[in-house]
Amino acid sequence: MLTIRGLNAGYGKFQVLFDVNAEVKKGKILTIVGPNGSGKSTLIKTVMGMTKVYSGKITFKNDDITGLSTHLVTKRGISYLPQTGNVFSNLTVEENLMLAGYTLSKEDTKKRISETIEEFPIVKKYLRKKCGFLSGGERQMVAMAMAMIRKPEMILFDEPVASLSPKAANEVMKKILELNKRGITVVLIEQAAKKALQIADDALLMTSGKVTYQGSAKNLLAHPELGKVYLGIKSGS
Ligand code: ADP
Ligand code: MG
């Protein structure tokens, strides 16, 4: 569904990604793991048109989307949940949802909001509350509902549970699985590698801006060296 070929990209002249090749299959969950600073966030930001591409090609459903603006990538059917700052704290939940519909008419946005909140009880409950008053897990639910407003075919999550309590993290992960079961293709960057790999179909291991492994998540978990290298980095999680 999403194909990345020979991608070299970075920020200005600072190259972060080196000859990255990757494949995200329709309807599946791909987890991106790898140490801090290895380029995981940069990779999905590049898909969203937020970095500088030097060479290589990104295609989504066979269309070339390399270098398209974030707005246009979003319109093609990809939603992105950044690691931080994915809701406006000083706005209410409802106002955040209205903003998320920026590519739709006001009427369509309202219709989509009423449909979407049925699947997110917490979001429905706190519609008039300012996001700043919500817990981290609740804010993540709002961000997910925002991502769903435009009926995406694929959602890119950047460490959605990194700063959450175990309980909230479980709820968010459960929701992500639920969305996937309903046909949404998921890309999930996750530091808690083991857990993420257990729920994923496929995995991508990045080190120093390069792809060190791409294949089934199960194989990565079982891989004697890669598993050790990776779990060595995140020992205890
Ligand atoms: P990860 O998500 O795997 O922790 P990142 O993609 O965030 O890694 O970072 C990869 C590299 O890119 C790091 O060296 C980081 O310092 C650099 N980097 C990240 N964001 C920016 C930015 N906006 N401008 C310049 N360099 C950046
Ligand atoms: Mg990151």
Side-chain angles (χ1 to χ4, degrees):
M1 190 178 211
L2 182 76
T3 305
I4 297 167
R5 286 283 165 264
L7 183 68
N8 290 285
Y11 303 93
K13 286 184 178 157
F14 181 62
Q15 185 165 358
V16 174
L17 302 176
F18 298 88
D19 193 29
V20 168
N21 293 291
E23 196 92 47
V24 185
K25 296 178 202 143
K26 189 171 161 57
K28 303 283 185 194
I29 300 180
L30 171 81
T31 295
I32 305 177
V33 294
N36 241 331
S38 59
K40 304 181 299 295
S41 297
T42 303
L43 180 56
I44 66 173
K45 280 197 253 174
T46 301
V47 172
M48 296 310 294
M50 304 170 111
T51 67
K52 183 151 179 47
V53 176
Y54 312 128
S55 63
K57 194 169 173 182
I58 305 171
T59 57
F60 181 61
K61 297 196 294 176
N62 297 321
D63 289 329
D64 190 349
I65 60 161
T66 324
L68 283 190
S69 67
T70 307
H71 174 76
L72 290 175
V73 175
T74 304
K75 268 192 140 173
R76 298 276 175 124
I78 305 181
S79 277
Y80 163 56
L81 266 81
Q83 190 170 356
T84 54
N86 48 22
V87 298
F88 293 98
S89 305
N90 55 335
L91 297 182
T92 66
V93 170
E94 191 170 30
E95 288 162 346
N96 271 282
L97 291 168
M98 282 305 291
L99 282 180
Y102 73 100
T103 57
L104 311 171
S105 70
K106 205 170 173 184
E107 213 162 82
D108 284 346
T109 303
K110 282 188 171 156
K111 183 164 164 275
R112 282 296 300 144
I113 289 176
S114 62
E115 288 165 3
T116 305
I117 58 177
E118 291 309 318
E119 303 165 41
F120 294 88
I122 286 290
V123 176
K124 190 176 180 182
K125 186 170 159 198
Y126 293 139
L127 222 41
R128 299 286 147 79
K129 221 170 174 170
K130 283 198 173 167
C131 283
F133 293 109
L134 304 182
S135 71
E138 288 161 355
R139 276 206 298 271
Q140 203 56 254
M141 289 293 179
V142 175
M144 269 196 267
M146 287 170 73
M148 288 298 291
I149 293 288
R150 284 170 259 117
K151 287 197 179 164
E153 291 177 64
M154 178 182 281
I155 306 184
L156 315 178
F157 293 92
D158 196 344
E159 300 196 32
V161 304
S163 55
L164 303 183
S165 70
K167 184 168 173 276
N170 266 336
E171 274 163 25
V172 169
M173 283 302 226
K174 237 170 70 189
K175 203 76 203 173
I176 292 174
L177 272 174
E178 218 178 282
L179 297 179
N180 175 251
K181 289 234 165 67
R182 290 207 287 100
I184 293 172
T185 306
V186 170
V187 175
L188 178 66
I189 295 179
E190 203 39 77
Q191 286 277 325
K194 211 165 179 180
K195 214 183 224 170
L197 289 172
Q198 281 161 349
I199 69 154
D201 301 293
D202 298 306
L204 191 75
L205 172 62
M206 296 199 62
T207 18
S208 313
K210 296 188 177 122
V211 173
T212 336
Y213 171 91
Q214 166 142 36
S216 85
K218 266 204 194 87
N219 280 350
L220 181 56
L221 272 175
H223 196 293
E225 278 160 60
L226 292 179
K228 196 168 75 191
V229 167
Y230 192 71
L231 297 173
I233 294 157
K234 283 297 292 176
S235 60
S237 68

